[in-house]
């Protein structure tokens, strides 16, 4: 069998459904073999970065490795951001890049980069395929490492002369593997410390965002009554309308949720990864922390837990739930902080000014989206408003990036979400800057006949950095730009364009686009004028008063 054929057979063995990408001439054997696959569909994108973001989002939703394809040189370099996005965010992907013949090339160093070395620091595994006979074992290893906790990016370089070799190798069947269970003595130590606490709190991070883990955590909360906080990547692990929910750590410090955490004498930190902005800062002699994760704690100046429960997180929480005897813990100060935040949010989200005030936008989106509806946020200051004010009802229904925090991922993430869950409502929420970084994928979305709504928050600037610039006392400089007519821009791709004309009109448009098939773009003028007053001053003053 030709090497490229066995490569595709191995992908089929792994259960791959899609290959996202932009092929080049060095991928043509691969492309020819893929064209004959009965089960894998090529998703041709307009940029390799969009392909990588789509593959990563597929991995986040399914737990299975998303696969993306690019050629050598510039094609491979265009996957770098997506590789970092997947590795830092814990999303399994395999990147396949082409290469000139490695055994005999007549093109000198044209387009040649050491892609394997380039990918090394931002992947869990990278390898150049130098023999067709090794393809099955290298693909199996790439998938194993991509999906092993913590999930992330892997990379295989597939030179064109290797792709056309002959081999009698066969695909390797994935093994049945189970994560090790937490050691009972560690569980006992953690439970003993929680039982001795006066005011324990749960903090749920990215590693807790697994279906069975969420179920076990809900049972733990229901049995013990211990309240919980989420990080941005932990949103939706437990329904955030639960009475024990204390909020999401969207700001770095000084928010109502931080007052709740400060009221605790023991923090049970589940699935934490220091790659996220810290939801709390440890200090010598301060609140003790119990680290519950699949991996030992990565020690940091602000994170050095006293007890570690290491193993399958769902199993660890189940063991703790079975062992613990609920006590009369004092959670009143924490719940009071949450009540103050809810009241403050309610005082803001009725502000129907135009251009749209961000809390009002959050309210209208939450009203329109069903419990299983998925919102995919790009990166900008609006991400803070959604993380704080948008209660996630189910896991992976609020996709945001609090690890790499890259712009440009919102639209591709929504597209992949609509492919994985075609029966659910999906919305991308993007700043105008982030949207334009991968706006060409609107054509891909239309070609794939996806049903998505894209809200473009139009303020003609890089708003997050502009807010920070003002907050630091600098002059307003270098962060504003002009935008196209987004309605016409959408229509040029064959999508449906809409423009918000008033606050009341926003809700009407969202309801219409969610109910109408196809790709819809909503140009939404937004007013960030009060960001600094509210996020940086008012909230911190009010929370400090608690």
């Amino acid at each position: 069998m030709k090497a490229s054929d066995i490569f595709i057979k191995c992908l089929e063995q792994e259960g791959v459904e899609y290959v996202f990408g932009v092929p080049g001439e060095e991928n043509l054997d691969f492309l020819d073999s893929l064209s004959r696959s009965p089960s894998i569909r090529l998703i041709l994108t307009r940029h390799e970065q969009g392909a990588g973001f789509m593959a990563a989002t597929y991995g986040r939703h399914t737990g299975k490795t998303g696969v993306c394809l690019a050629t050598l040189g510039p094609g491979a370099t265009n996957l770098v951001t997506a590789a970092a996005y997947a590795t830092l965010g814990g999303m399994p992907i395999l990147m396949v890049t082409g290469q000139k013949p490695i055994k005999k090339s007549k093109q000198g160093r044209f387009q040649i980069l050491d892609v394997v070395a380039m990918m090394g620091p931002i992947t869990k595994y990278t390898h150049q395929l130098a023999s067709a006979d090794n393809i099955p074992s290298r693909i199996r290893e790439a998938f194993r490492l991509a999906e092993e906790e913590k999930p992330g990016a892997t990379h295989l370089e597939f030179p064109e002369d290797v792709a056309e070799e002959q081999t009698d190798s066969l695909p390797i069947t994935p093994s049945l593997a189970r994560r090790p269970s937490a050691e009972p003595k560690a569980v006992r130590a953690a439970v003993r410390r929680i039982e001795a606490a006066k005011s324990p709190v749960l903090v749920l991070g990215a590693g807790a965002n697994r279906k069975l883990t969420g179920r076990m955590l809900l049972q733990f909360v229901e049995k013990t009554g211990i309240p919980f906080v989420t990080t941005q990547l932990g949103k939706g692990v437990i329904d955030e309308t639960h009475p024990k929910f204390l909020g999401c750590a969207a700001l770095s410090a000084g928010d109502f949720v931080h007052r709740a955490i400060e009221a605790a004498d023991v923090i049970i930190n589940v699935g934490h990864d220091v790659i996220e902005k810290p939801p709390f800062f440890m200090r010598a002699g301060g609140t003790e922390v119990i680290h519950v994760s699949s991996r030992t704690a990565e020690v940091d100046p602000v994170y050095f837990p006293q007890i570690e429960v290491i193993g399958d997180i769902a199993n660890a929480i189940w063991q703790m739930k079975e062992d613990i005897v609920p006590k009369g813990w004092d959670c009143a100060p924490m719940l009071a902080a949450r009540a103050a935040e809810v009241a403050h949010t309610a005082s803001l989200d009725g502000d129907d000014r135009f251009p749209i005030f961000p809390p009002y936008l959050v309210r209208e989106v939450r009203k329109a989206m069903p419990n299983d509806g998925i919102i995919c946020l790009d990166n900008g200051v609006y991400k803070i408003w959604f993380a704080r004010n948008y209660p996630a009802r189910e896991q992976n229904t609020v996709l945001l990036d609090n690890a790499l925090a890259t712009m440009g991922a919102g639209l591709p993430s929504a597209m992949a979400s609509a492919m994985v869950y075609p029966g659910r409502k999906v919305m991308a929420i993007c700043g105008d800057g982030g949207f334009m970084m991968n706006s060409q994928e609107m054509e891909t979305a239309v070609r794939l006949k996806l049903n998505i709504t894209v809200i473009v928050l139009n303020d003609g600037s890089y708003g997050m950095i502009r807010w920070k610039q003002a907050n630091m006392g600098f002059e307003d400089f270098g962060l504003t730009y002009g935008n196209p007519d987004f309605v016409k821009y959408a229509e040029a791709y064959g999508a449906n364009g809409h423009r918000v004309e008033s606050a009341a009109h926003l809700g009407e448009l969202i309801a219409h686009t969610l109910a109408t098939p196809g790709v819809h773009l909503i140009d939404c003028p937004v007013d960030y004028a009060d960001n600094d007053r509210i996020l940086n001053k008012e909230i911190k003053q009010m929370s400090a008063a608690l």
Side-chain angles (χ1 to χ4, degrees):
M1 187 181 297
K2 193 167 74 166
S4 58
D5 288 337
I6 193 63
F7 198 113
I8 298 303
K9 294 292 183 187
C10 290
L11 296 185
E12 291 170 351
Q13 179 74 66
E14 297 289 345
V16 172
E17 297 178 272
Y18 305 108
V19 172
F20 305 91
V22 182
E25 59 184 282
E26 291 75 24
N27 307 117
L28 290 177
D29 283 289
F30 180 97
L31 200 63
D32 179 63
S33 298
L34 179 59
S35 72
R36 293 187 294 276
S37 174
S39 57
I40 304 177
R41 181 182 175 191
L42 173 68
I43 304 299
L44 184 67
T45 61
R46 304 308 299 267
H47 195 284
E48 294 87 353
Q49 190 180 98
F53 288 149
M54 292 181 75
T57 303
Y58 174 92
R60 177 171 181 171
H61 279 304
T62 66
K64 300 190 298 182
T65 302
V67 179
C68 51
L69 174 70
T71 189
L72 79 170
T77 61
N78 281 345
L79 283 178
V80 165
T81 300
Y85 174 76
T87 294
L88 270 64
M91 295 170 268
I93 67 169
L94 167 62
M95 300 174 292
V96 181
T97 61
Q99 188 53 276
K100 297 292 185 187
I102 57 174
K103 298 175 183 178
K104 187 178 181 181
S105 177
K106 297 180 180 178
Q107 296 193 43
R109 300 294 297 173
F110 177 65
Q111 288 192 306
I112 301 296
L113 296 169
D114 190 343
V115 175
V116 172
M118 178 182 72
M119 291 293 186
I122 52 175
T123 61
K124 298 179 70 178
Y125 175 74
T126 179
H127 179 78
Q128 182 189 72
L129 294 167
S131 167
D133 293 339
N134 291 337
I135 288 173
S137 63
R138 294 309 88 200
I139 290 179
R140 178 81 283 273
E141 181 70 349
F143 273 79
R144 181 186 73 82
L145 289 170
E147 295 173 11
E148 184 179 78
E149 294 286 355
K150 175 187 171 181
T154 58
H155 167 250
L156 291 174
E157 183 175 77
F158 197 15
E160 59 179 318
D161 54 347
V162 176
E164 63 186 18
E165 287 181 359
Q166 295 293 310
T167 180
D168 52 12
S169 295
L170 297 173
I172 296 173
T173 303
S175 60
L176 176 62
R178 287 184 55 82
R179 289 186 287 271
S181 297
E183 203 274 324
K185 289 183 179 178
V187 172
R188 182 86 275 274
V191 169
R192 189 163 53 243
R193 182 65 190 89
I194 296 168
E195 289 177 343
K198 294 181 179 179
S199 304
V201 68
L202 282 157
V203 177
L204 311 182
N209 200 354
R210 307 289 185 271
K211 290 181 180 178
L212 187 57
T213 302
R215 181 179 176 85
M216 292 300 104
L217 281 164
L218 177 59
Q219 292 180 14
F220 183 87
V221 170
E222 294 286 356
K223 177 178 179 179
T224 64
I226 296 174
F228 65 96
V229 166
T230 72
T231 68
Q232 292 184 47
L233 288 173
K235 281 188 70 65
V237 169
I238 300 176
D239 185 342
E240 292 175 4
T241 62
H242 193 284
K244 297 298 182 180
F245 176 59
L246 299 176
C248 173
L251 295 171
S252 297
D255 202 350
F256 296 98
V257 70
H258 299 108
R259 297 289 85 81
I261 296 173
E262 289 164 9
D265 61 345
V266 170
I267 297 171
I268 310 153
N269 204 16
V270 184
H272 176 68
D273 191 328
V274 294
I275 210 68
E276 280 205 80
K277 283 187 175 181
F280 57 86
F281 299 97
M282 292 189 69
R283 56 181 177 79
T287 304
E288 290 188 27
V289 173
I290 299 169
H291 176 87
V292 184
S293 183
S294 58
R295 303 189 307 165
T296 55
E298 184 177 341
V299 176
D300 186 85
V302 297
Y303 192 64
F304 41 90
Q306 286 82 10
I307 298 174
E308 299 191 40
V309 181
I310 306 303
D312 179 82
I313 299 177
N315 175 267
I317 297 298
W318 176 80
Q319 288 190 59
M320 292 167 66
K321 180 201 65 156
E322 291 297 298
D323 186 27
I324 200 165
V325 176
K327 304 292 183 180
W329 293 297
D330 180 16
C331 301
M334 303 180 199
L335 296 172
R338 175 57 180 169
E341 179 175 10
V342 170
H344 183 251
T345 298
S347 73
L348 297 175
D349 63 19
D351 187 333
D352 60 356
R353 72 180 72 172
F354 187 80
I356 302 296
F357 188 40
Y360 183 87
L361 169 73
V362 175
R363 187 190 74 172
E364 292 302 299
V365 172
R366 180 66 280 180
K367 280 168 56 178
M369 292 297 282
N371 289 352
D372 67 350
I374 300 167
I375 62 170
C376 303
L377 293 144
D378 211 284
N379 268 277
V381 69
Y382 53 89
K383 185 179 76 170
I384 295 175
W385 288 110
F386 274 91
R388 288 185 79 257
N389 298 6
Y390 186 96
R393 302 300 305 276
E394 297 183 15
Q395 289 179 319
N396 282 329
T397 55
V398 178
L399 303 193
L400 48 73
D401 173 17
N402 195 40
L404 183 65
T406 179
M407 297 171 72
L411 174 58
S413 294
M415 292 163 60
S417 298
M419 293 175 69
V420 174
Y421 297 111
R424 291 163 69 172
K425 304 299 183 185
V426 177
M427 179 183 294
I429 301 168
C430 310
D432 44 15
F435 172 73
M436 288 303 293
M437 290 185 180
N438 275 310
S439 62
Q440 70 281 346
E441 301 304 343
M442 289 287 286
E443 187 280 326
T444 310
V446 171
R447 175 166 26 95
L448 295 175
K449 296 180 170 60
L450 300 180
N451 297 318
I452 60 171
T453 294
V454 183
I455 299 182
V456 178
L457 304 180
N458 191 346
D459 73 325
S461 73
Y462 293 115
M464 173 75 88
I465 311 306
R466 199 178 183 196
W467 170 40
K468 181 70 173 179
Q469 186 181 57
N471 191 29
M472 294 177 67
F474 293 121
E475 292 294 322
D476 185 2
F477 174 76
L479 296 170
T480 59
Y481 44 71
N483 279 319
D485 183 325
F486 285 121
V487 172
K488 292 180 179 178
Y489 189 77
E491 291 171 350
Y493 285 119
N496 303 285
H498 313 269
R499 181 171 290 110
V500 178
E501 302 293 349
S502 67
H505 190 214
L506 173 64
E508 297 172 9
L509 275 182
I510 293 174
H512 168 73
T513 60
L514 290 176
T516 307
V519 179
H520 297 267
L521 182 148
I522 298 175
D523 179 357
C524 180
V526 65
D527 181 2
Y528 290 134
D530 281 335
N531 278 342
D532 188 59
R533 178 180 68 82
I534 296 171
L535 293 175
N536 191 47
K537 297 174 183 175
E538 184 174 297
I539 286 175
K540 292 179 180 180
Q541 290 171 354
M542 294 180 70
S543 66
L546 292 171

